[in-house]
Amino acid sequence: MAKKNAVAAFSTPKFKLFLAVLILVVLGGTAAIFVGYRGIMNKSDTFVSGIRDSANISIGNVHQTSTRNGVKEWILEAVSVRYLNEKKQAVFDNLAVTFFLKSENKVHLTGNKGILKTDSNDIEVTGNVVIKDKDCELQTEKLYYKHHQRTLSSQAPVKVTGSAFNLSADSMVFDLKTNKTVFEGNVKGTLGGNITM
């Protein structure tokens, strides 16, 4: 049974686990992109210092790997990155981030474009956005991470699928401070055992 213009808070254990992984992906993604951007900009101090403040910089085929104590944490890849100085943005094309968890599972984040606002650490990923691990997958066209508000949101339709549930809605907001997820608009879901929301 579909609920039009409904608001739903989803609280099954598997879904909470998925959202915990999703938080890790987004926060890690923000850090990955920021660190990747900083690493790129620091590769050639002479080159960067010779460019006027108003200039743009473009670098192709970005590949950044983060390791800690010899353990791989994540890999960030993009076809290109452009730093738009006046807009204080780093723009990644065909972004893909793979996170390596302590459980030896992997979480993948992909999107056609990622925009990091370097003054706020806010991030927007757009176009065929997919976040998935071995159990769950979230699909949408736009995903926002607001650093100061500590929220993850999508105003585009979202679809979340897992082995024990399916859920779709017109929009989603996840509050990192309260661990509460709100789905709004045409909320539809199916839980294990063919229970329909």
Side-chain angles (χ1 to χ4, degrees), residues 42-128:
N42 289 333
K43 281 183 179 178
S44 178
D45 293 335
T46 304
F47 174 72
V48 173
S49 65
I51 297 175
R52 296 176 311 175
D53 289 341
S54 61
N56 296 333
I57 300 170
S58 181
I59 299 172
N61 296 321
V62 179
H63 181 96
Q64 182 82 19
T65 301
S66 173
T67 59
R68 182 179 297 181
N69 299 324
V71 177
K72 191 182 295 183
E73 292 186 315
W74 49 259
I75 295 173
L76 173 124
E77 295 178 310
V79 170
S80 65
V81 60
R82 287 167 288 141
Y83 175 58
L84 308 178
N85 195 46
E86 288 185 354
K87 294 184 177 182
K88 296 183 179 179
Q89 293 180 349
V91 181
F92 293 81
D93 293 317
N94 294 326
L95 175 69
V97 184
T98 299
F99 298 89
F100 301 91
L101 309 182
K102 290 182 179 180
S103 61
E104 298 186 358
N105 291 333
K106 297 178 184 178
V107 176
H108 305 276
L109 165 65
T110 58
N112 292 347
K113 181 179 288 186
I115 300 175
L116 169 72
K117 295 183 178 179
T118 58
D119 58 344
S120 66
N121 281 348
D122 291 349
I123 185 170
E124 172 186 323
V125 183
T126 58
N128 298 313

Side-chain angles (χ1 to χ4, degrees), residues 4-68:
K4 293 191 175 181
N5 298 321
V7 177
F10 215 76
S11 60
T12 65
K14 280 205 170 194
F15 194 70
K16 283 186 176 179
L17 176 62
F18 172 71
L19 287 178
V21 172
L22 188 61
I23 294 166
L24 172 67
V25 169
V26 174
L27 291 178
T30 302
I33 292 171
F34 185 71
V35 170
Y37 154 76
R38 289 293 185 199
I40 291 164
M41 297 303 290
N42 289 333
K43 281 183 179 178
S44 178
D45 293 335
T46 304
F47 174 72
V48 173
S49 65
I51 297 175
R52 296 176 311 175
D53 289 341
S54 61
N56 296 333
I57 300 170
S58 181
I59 299 172
N61 296 321
V62 179
H63 181 96
Q64 182 82 19
T65 301
S66 173
T67 59
R68 182 179 297 181

